[in-house]
Amino acid sequence: MLEELNEFLNTFQKLPREKQLKILDAAAEAFASKGYYGSGIKDICERANISNGALYKYFLNKEELFIAVLDRCQQIMVEYLYEKHTKIESSILNAIEEYLKEIAEICGKFPAYLTVYANLGSPNMEMFSERFSERFKESGKYIYEMVREAKKRGEVIEGIDERALGFLIDNQFILFLYSMLSDYHEKRFRSFMVIEDEVELTSEKKIAFIMDSIRVFLNNKKEESYPVT
Amino acid sequence: MLEELNEFLNTFQKLPREKQLKILDAAAEAFASKGYYGSGIKDICERANISNGALYKYFLNKEELFIAVLDRCQQIMVEYLYEKHTKIESSILNAIEEYLKEIAEICGKFPAYLTVYANLGSPNMEMFSERFSERFKESGKYIYEMVREAKKRGEVIEGIDERALGFLIDNQFILFLYSMLSDYHEKRFRSFMVIEDEVELTSEKKIAFIMDSIRVFLNNKKEESYPVT
Amino acid sequence: MLEELNEFLNTFQKLPREKQLKILDAAAEAFASKGYYGSGIKDICERANISNGALYKYFLNKEELFIAVLDRCQQIMVEYLYEKHTKIESSILNAIEEYLKEIAEICGKFPAYLTVYANLGSPNMEMFSERFSERFKESGKYIYEMVREAKKRGEVIEGIDERALGFLIDNQFILFLYSMLSDYHEKRFRSFMVIEDEVELTSEKKIAFIMDSIRVFLNNKKEESYPVT
Amino acid sequence: MLEELNEFLNTFQKLPREKQLKILDAAAEAFASKGYYGSGIKDICERANISNGALYKYFLNKEELFIAVLDRCQQIMVEYLYEKHTKIESSILNAIEEYLKEIAEICGKFPAYLTVYANLGSPNMEMFSERFSERFKESGKYIYEMVREAKKRGEVIEGIDERALGFLIDNQFILFLYSMLSDYHEKRFRSFMVIEDEVELTSEKKIAFIMDSIRVFLNNKKEESYPVT
DNA sequence: GATGAATGAGACTTCATTCAT
DNA sequence: AATGAATGAAGTCTCATTCAT
């Protein structure tokens, strides 16, 4: 079984990186717009400009293709998001803002992958999400550390548990991310910000709005806040 | 087209309420566990104990059936959640806690519907979520009002925008809801709470954890907090 | 699983007998001419004049369809062959001749089914032939009985084991059957009978040829033999 | 077309004999176990340890490969079976027994080839069997001669046609061969011999059983029979 | 000559929808 | 109004064959 799996992976990995990415991109776009069950192999092959049979040379089946897309998702997250933020260089406030900006940036760069990844939370994706549950522990730990460090430095107000604050901040991250990808959460955001449909809602505005709420926990002054443009 | 649609709706609405609900429940369960594309009409009919053809007397097609389920979702939300909480009877802290408890309760009562509803946020559900965007304005407004009232009563600490705080609180609600329905968000919760897989994570514990983070904004004393059991 | 299987069978059995047979006939013809793996569902459906999907309402899959054809084969064999010959009315010689004639007749009537049945002996059909192995014991027993009775009546020459003789006779039956269905065995027959390709080889001639060899075992006189026409 | 075919054959025949046989063996094994339609080129190449493309340098297509296997079958039959038995060295009884033993031996040595060959009799193999029909005339002639010689020597009882007896004997050969290769015919054999499934049925026992039935035609005494072990 | 990736027709099967009863 | 058989397009996947290297 594992050998078999490798047989396919090898064929795929021998491809030029460019072509690999084209295929994964095509799959990610399909899965992002129609979901796993709604996406068809034929459609993906056409997007990737490869033959139907070729795909089955690269991946055992649709499921394995999807997992390959998820792996690429994770790789993107790690490369563009986590690795850049393992160290808090200045204040936690800045760190959070940077993190949000980074989320906005990778959502702009890889919307399809991020969408697929975000969709892992859907209840009928459990068969796939189990594979990636490890990551949560990491993510939780990272934010917890960030908060703890900040507390030591006196940046966090008294009387709040590090874990609870971490969770609260991560919730902002998650829903900010969702709002970049899903119309539903975008509208929810608008609703709270009281912004009309006609007015453009840039990610900068969203970030500023989030920072406004988070700043409360921190011993920071308003003037350092992110300027709303 | 609209007449046609009504024709179907009428046939459905002439059914005894009990049978209507049986059909919607069956559909909700299917959609919840397998998603829109993954669910089959045949499966739904079998769950509902009606014939394949009967369903097409009641609904124009799968899409309309799904929308009917979504309508029922909203109805449940309104009936069991929003209507119960239009007035803040005591402090905002209590109100929030009550709201979370209510969420936990209806998740226990109607897990399938809530799951379907929660999935509307999935990016590939946009074709359906548009119909329900109205609700957000309501929801946002309600929480905003709640916060504003609380602020007037001096329950909220200084220097925080009502809307930002409302958003922050609603984010807790949303992700609490998700954690009741999706394994993915459940695990995320555990990760932040640092709870081992073997230990049961009751909704009471989750609520207490959330309340811990929220209390910070409020001029409340710890002793009123939700008792962790 | 069994319920599921019944679900399909029921749908099929509700069909008018005529339509049932049309479908089985179509399948038998396809399987007979191209074998199990070489035959396609589409081809079968076209022969039977039903839609592709209909077939899957009647049978779980190609395998079950094939088994249904085999069942019909057996039914034909039992109805037209075995039931007619449970009693030896006159001499064993006549019985054998009658049996051969009967084989010729059902080969003319149901060539496809007989062909499918005969093919069960192919080594790559073992997955199916196991189901039908019971029949052999019957068949062997029946011929054994026939020979034993004949021996009692003094029709069989001395010094031959009933079982060995039964086997020898059954071999003639089998290869006579094969010669009606397969070009290969037909040619083999011709070769031994020394009949040119241009000359027609009727089943009567084959039977006479076989009877010639069998008569030796029996205390019969030549003049009673089957007349070669 | 013929030139083309030769082009392929030449390429194949230039290979070292060992490699040729490895390829044919691999193909024979595949065809024997899964039949012509059920066998895949990929599988055969893997068994033969050659590349997919190489096979198409040696053979025009799957069909020609199959024919090459059949040619090898015939070659084996001629080399190991026919050529050894062109002369009756002692009595016909011994000759037959030797022939049966030889069949058992080559079935043990080349089961795959023999199986493929035996399957030529399947009705859906007619497209291939035509090519090999020549052989039957030879085979028939050979056995006919054997019987005629034996008759001259007074080994055969009176009143039986040489051709009919030849056919009868050949039938024993054929079905003995089939019983070595197919479960179906093995079971049929057991049924007539009244041997339980648990008891091993060696080829020696089968041969003894067959000899018992054949001996009747011959002016032989029981004591010369094949010893049942 | 050899390789093995690529092709695409076609295989089996499912399923939303229609329709005769 | 209800049934459930029928439809056929479309889905996933396989495989004999071709072709660039």
Side-chain angles (χ1 to χ4, degrees):
Chain A
M1 176 63 197
L2 259 183
E3 297 154 28
E4 228 187 313
L5 229 155
N6 278 334
E7 181 195 329
F8 289 86
L9 263 176
N10 281 337
T11 312
F12 183 64
Q13 260 143 19
K14 273 184 216 152
L15 292 177
R17 185 71 182 148
E18 190 189 11
K19 193 170 180 186
Q20 283 179 35
L21 290 181
K22 193 170 177 192
I23 292 166
L24 291 176
D25 287 358
E29 272 158 39
F31 289 135
S33 67
K34 296 191 171 185
Y36 177 72
Y37 293 106
S39 300
I41 294 293
K42 209 185 151 205
D43 175 37
I44 292 171
C45 291
E46 275 161 16
R47 285 175 197 251
N49 222 25
I50 60 171
S51 75
N52 212 315
L55 192 73
Y56 282 88
K57 283 262 185 285
Y58 305 145
F59 303 100
L60 181 60
N61 51 31
K62 191 181 178 182
E63 205 175 314
E64 292 300 324
L65 169 61
F66 188 68
I67 286 170
V69 169
L70 289 179
D71 281 335
R72 172 88 179 115
C73 289
Q74 196 156 31
Q75 190 188 321
I76 286 170
M77 301 280 281
V78 168
E79 185 176 337
Y80 290 82
L81 200 57
Y82 305 144
E83 286 186 354
K84 282 198 179 173
H85 294 272
T86 41
K87 278 183 193 165
I88 304 169
E89 313 254 309
S90 56
S91 70
I92 188 174
L93 202 68
N94 283 341
I96 291 170
E97 200 171 309
E98 287 307 313
Y99 200 83
L100 288 168
K101 280 198 233 171
E102 210 73 63
I103 287 174
E105 200 174 321
I106 64 171
C107 281
K109 264 193 200 153
F110 308 103
Y113 289 104
L114 276 270
T115 299
V116 172
Y117 203 63
N119 256 88
L120 268 188
S122 293
N124 53 307
M125 287 284 103
E126 258 156 46
M127 122 204 218
F128 295 110
S129 62
E130 276 174 30
R131 275 186 177 239
F132 293 86
S133 59
E134 295 310 302
R135 156 179 145 36
F136 306 125
K137 286 171 194 153
E138 292 311 308
S139 163
K141 222 180 285 174
Y142 159 66
I143 293 194
Y144 169 70
E145 283 303 324
M146 185 174 80
V147 171
R148 214 167 52 115
E149 293 288 324
K151 208 167 186 181
K152 273 194 208 155
R153 292 198 305 273
E155 294 181 24
V156 177
I157 62 174
E158 291 297 310
I160 185 161
D161 177 62
E162 285 96 341
R163 293 199 293 261
L165 181 54
F167 181 63
L168 193 141
I169 291 171
D170 199 51
N171 285 354
Q172 313 301 306
F173 291 161
I174 294 247
L175 290 168
F176 175 62
L177 173 64
Y178 285 4
S179 82
M180 308 287 297
L181 304 170
S182 127
D183 210 47
Y184 178 103
H185 285 103
E186 159 91 7
K187 278 179 180 151
R188 196 178 141 267
F189 227 115
R190 279 180 181 277
S191 159
F192 276 98
M193 292 179 71
V194 192
I195 290 187
E196 297 305 314
D197 288 358
E198 303 79 39
V199 181
E200 200 197 0
L201 175 51
T202 62
S203 60
E204 281 83 9
K205 287 185 193 166
K206 288 187 201 168
I207 292 175
F209 185 70
I210 290 174
M211 293 312 294
D212 262 1
S213 70
I214 286 179
R215 194 172 298 110
V216 176
F217 302 97
L218 309 176
N219 293 320
N220 264 280
K221 304 289 172 283
K222 175 83 180 173
E223 61 262 28
E224 294 173 32
S225 94
Y226 191 88
V228 181
T229 49
Chain B
M1 173 65 195
L2 258 184
E3 296 156 27
E4 228 188 316
L5 228 154
N6 279 333
E7 179 196 330
F8 287 87
L9 258 172
N10 282 337
T11 313
F12 182 64
Q13 259 140 22
K14 273 184 213 151
L15 292 177
R17 184 70 182 151
E18 190 189 13
K19 192 171 181 185
Q20 284 178 35
L21 289 182
K22 194 170 180 191
I23 292 166
L24 292 176
D25 287 357
E29 271 159 40
F31 289 134
S33 66
K34 299 191 171 184
Y36 178 71
Y37 291 106
S39 301
I41 293 292
K42 201 186 154 207
D43 175 38
I44 292 170
C45 290
E46 274 162 15
R47 285 175 197 251
N49 225 22
I50 61 170
S51 76
N52 211 316
L55 193 75
Y56 281 85
K57 288 270 186 278
Y58 308 145
F59 302 100
L60 179 60
N61 52 29
K62 193 179 177 182
E63 207 174 313
E64 292 301 324
L65 169 61
F66 188 68
I67 286 168
V69 170
L70 290 178
D71 282 334
R72 172 88 178 113
C73 288
Q74 195 155 31
Q75 191 188 323
I76 287 169
M77 300 282 279
V78 168
E79 186 176 336
Y80 289 82
L81 199 57
Y82 304 144
E83 286 187 355
K84 281 199 180 171
H85 295 271
T86 39
K87 277 184 193 164
I88 302 169
E89 314 254 310
S90 57
S91 72
I92 185 173
L93 202 69
N94 283 342
I96 290 170
E97 200 172 309
E98 288 306 314
Y99 199 84
L100 287 169
K101 281 198 232 171
E102 210 73 62
I103 287 174
E105 198 174 323
I106 63 172
C107 280
K109 262 191 202 153
F110 307 102
Y113 288 103
L114 276 270
T115 299
V116 172
Y117 202 63
N119 257 90
L120 267 188
S122 292
N124 53 305
M125 285 284 103
E126 257 158 47
M127 112 205 227
F128 297 108
S129 62
E130 276 173 31
R131 279 186 176 238
F132 293 85
S133 58
E134 295 311 304
R135 154 178 145 40
F136 305 124
K137 286 174 194 151
E138 293 311 309
S139 163
K141 221 179 286 173
Y142 158 66
I143 294 196
Y144 170 70
E145 285 301 325
M146 183 174 82
V147 171
R148 213 164 53 116
E149 295 287 325
K151 206 167 186 179
K152 272 193 210 154
R153 293 198 305 274
E155 292 181 25
V156 178
I157 63 174
E158 290 299 309
I160 184 163
D161 177 63
E162 286 96 341
R163 294 197 294 261
L165 181 54
F167 181 64
L168 194 142
I169 291 171
D170 198 50
N171 286 353
Q172 313 300 305
F173 291 161
I174 294 249
L175 290 169
F176 174 63
L177 173 64
Y178 285 4
S179 82
M180 308 286 297
L181 305 170
S182 128
D183 210 47
Y184 180 103
H185 285 102
E186 158 91 7
K187 278 181 181 150
R188 197 178 140 265
F189 226 116
R190 278 179 181 277
S191 160
F192 276 98
M193 292 180 71
V194 190
I195 289 188
E196 296 306 310
D197 288 358
E198 304 79 40
V199 182
E200 201 197 357
L201 176 51
T202 61
S203 59
E204 280 81 10
K205 287 185 193 166
K206 287 188 202 167
I207 291 175
F209 185 71
I210 291 174
M211 294 311 292
D212 262 0
S213 68
I214 285 179
R215 194 173 300 109
V216 177
F217 305 100
L218 309 176
N219 295 320
N220 263 283
K221 302 290 171 283
K222 177 83 180 172
E223 61 262 29
E224 294 172 33
S225 96
Y226 191 89
V228 182
T229 50
Chain C
M1 176 62 199
L2 260 184
E3 296 154 30
E4 227 187 316
L5 229 154
N6 278 334
E7 180 195 331
F8 289 86
L9 263 176
N10 281 337
T11 311
F12 183 64
Q13 261 144 20
K14 273 186 216 150
L15 292 178
R17 185 70 181 151
E18 191 190 11
K19 193 171 181 186
Q20 283 179 35
L21 290 181
K22 193 172 178 190
I23 292 166
L24 291 176
D25 288 356
E29 272 158 38
F31 289 136
S33 67
K34 297 191 171 185
Y36 178 71
Y37 293 106
S39 301
I41 294 294
K42 207 184 152 206
D43 175 38
I44 293 170
C45 290
E46 274 161 16
R47 285 175 197 252
N49 223 26
I50 60 171
S51 76
N52 214 316
L55 193 73
Y56 282 87
K57 283 261 185 287
Y58 306 144
F59 302 100
L60 181 59
N61 52 29
K62 191 182 177 181
E63 205 175 314
E64 293 299 324
L65 169 61
F66 188 68
I67 286 169
V69 170
L70 290 179
D71 282 334
R72 172 88 178 113
C73 289
Q74 196 156 32
Q75 190 188 323
I76 287 170
M77 301 280 280
V78 168
E79 185 176 337
Y80 290 82
L81 200 57
Y82 305 143
E83 287 186 354
K84 281 197 181 173
H85 295 271
T86 42
K87 276 184 194 162
I88 303 168
E89 313 255 309
S90 56
S91 71
I92 186 174
L93 201 70
N94 283 343
I96 290 170
E97 199 172 311
E98 288 307 313
Y99 199 84
L100 287 168
K101 281 197 231 172
E102 210 75 64
I103 287 175
E105 198 174 323
I106 65 172
C107 280
K109 263 191 200 155
F110 308 102
Y113 289 103
L114 276 270
T115 298
V116 171
Y117 202 64
N119 257 89
L120 267 188
S122 294
N124 53 306
M125 285 285 103
E126 259 157 44
M127 120 205 221
F128 296 110
S129 60
E130 274 174 33
R131 275 187 177 237
F132 293 86
S133 59
E134 295 311 302
R135 153 178 147 40
F136 305 127
K137 286 170 195 155
E138 293 310 308
S139 163
K141 221 180 288 174
Y142 158 66
I143 294 195
Y144 170 70
E145 285 300 325
M146 184 173 82
V147 170
R148 215 166 51 115
E149 296 287 325
K151 208 169 187 180
K152 272 194 211 156
R153 292 198 305 273
E155 294 181 23
V156 177
I157 61 173
E158 290 300 309
I160 185 162
D161 177 64
E162 286 96 341
R163 295 199 293 261
L165 180 54
F167 181 63
L168 194 142
I169 291 171
D170 200 52
N171 285 354
Q172 312 302 306
F173 292 160
I174 294 248
L175 289 169
F176 174 64
L177 173 65
Y178 285 4
S179 82
M180 308 287 297
L181 305 170
S182 127
D183 211 45
Y184 178 103
H185 285 103
E186 158 92 5
K187 279 180 181 149
R188 196 178 141 266
F189 227 115
R190 280 178 180 277
S191 159
F192 276 98
M193 292 179 70
V194 191
I195 290 186
E196 296 307 311
D197 289 358
E198 302 81 38
V199 182
E200 202 196 357
L201 175 52
T202 61
S203 60
E204 281 83 9
K205 288 183 193 167
K206 287 188 203 166
I207 292 175
F209 185 71
I210 291 173
M211 293 312 292
D212 262 0
S213 68
I214 286 179
R215 195 172 299 110
V216 177
F217 304 102
L218 310 175
N219 295 320
N220 264 283
K221 303 291 171 283
K222 176 81 179 175
E223 60 262 29
E224 293 173 34
S225 93
Y226 191 88
V228 181
T229 49
Chain D
M1 174 64 196
L2 258 183
E3 297 154 29
E4 227 188 316
L5 226 154
N6 279 333
E7 180 197 329
F8 285 87
L9 257 171
N10 282 337
T11 312
F12 182 63
Q13 259 140 22
K14 275 185 212 150
L15 291 177
R17 185 68 182 153
E18 192 189 12
K19 193 170 180 185
Q20 283 178 35
L21 289 181
K22 194 170 180 191
I23 292 167
L24 291 176
D25 287 357
E29 271 159 40
F31 289 135
S33 66
K34 299 190 171 184
Y36 177 72
Y37 292 106
S39 301
I41 294 293
K42 201 186 156 208
D43 175 37
I44 293 170
C45 291
E46 274 162 15
R47 285 175 197 252
N49 225 23
I50 61 170
S51 76
N52 211 318
L55 194 74
Y56 281 85
K57 287 270 186 279
Y58 307 145
F59 302 101
L60 180 60
N61 52 29
K62 192 181 179 182
E63 207 175 313
E64 292 300 323
L65 169 61
F66 188 68
I67 286 168
V69 170
L70 289 178
D71 282 334
R72 173 88 178 114
C73 288
Q74 196 155 33
Q75 191 188 325
I76 287 170
M77 301 281 280
V78 168
E79 187 177 336
Y80 290 81
L81 199 57
Y82 305 144
E83 286 187 354
K84 282 197 180 175
H85 295 271
T86 41
K87 279 183 193 164
I88 304 169
E89 314 252 308
S90 56
S91 72
I92 187 173
L93 202 68
N94 283 341
I96 291 170
E97 201 172 308
E98 287 307 313
Y99 199 83
L100 288 168
K101 282 197 231 171
E102 209 73 62
I103 287 174
E105 199 174 322
I106 63 172
C107 281
K109 262 191 201 153
F110 307 101
Y113 288 104
L114 276 269
T115 300
V116 171
Y117 202 63
N119 256 89
L120 266 189
S122 292
N124 54 305
M125 286 283 104
E126 258 158 46
M127 115 206 225
F128 296 110
S129 61
E130 279 174 27
R131 278 185 176 240
F132 294 84
S133 57
E134 296 312 304
R135 155 180 145 37
F136 306 124
K137 287 173 193 153
E138 293 311 309
S139 164
K141 223 179 286 175
Y142 159 65
I143 294 195
Y144 170 70
E145 284 302 324
M146 184 174 80
V147 172
R148 216 165 52 116
E149 295 287 324
K151 208 167 186 182
K152 272 193 210 157
R153 293 198 304 274
E155 292 180 25
V156 178
I157 61 173
E158 290 300 307
I160 184 161
D161 178 62
E162 287 94 343
R163 294 197 293 261
L165 180 54
F167 181 64
L168 193 142
I169 292 171
D170 199 52
N171 285 354
Q172 312 301 306
F173 291 161
I174 295 247
L175 289 169
F176 175 63
L177 174 64
Y178 285 4
S179 81
M180 308 287 296
L181 305 170
S182 125
D183 211 46
Y184 180 102
H185 285 102
E186 158 93 4
K187 277 179 183 152
R188 195 178 142 266
F189 227 115
R190 279 179 181 277
S191 159
F192 276 99
M193 292 179 69
V194 190
I195 289 187
E196 296 306 311
D197 288 358
E198 304 80 40
V199 181
E200 200 196 358
L201 176 50
T202 62
S203 59
E204 282 81 10
K205 287 185 195 166
K206 287 187 202 166
I207 291 175
F209 186 70
I210 291 174
M211 294 313 292
D212 263 359
S213 69
I214 286 179
R215 195 172 298 111
V216 177
F217 301 99
L218 309 176
N219 293 320
N220 265 280
K221 305 288 169 286
K222 176 81 182 173
E223 61 262 30
E224 294 170 33
S225 95
Y226 191 89
V228 181
T229 49

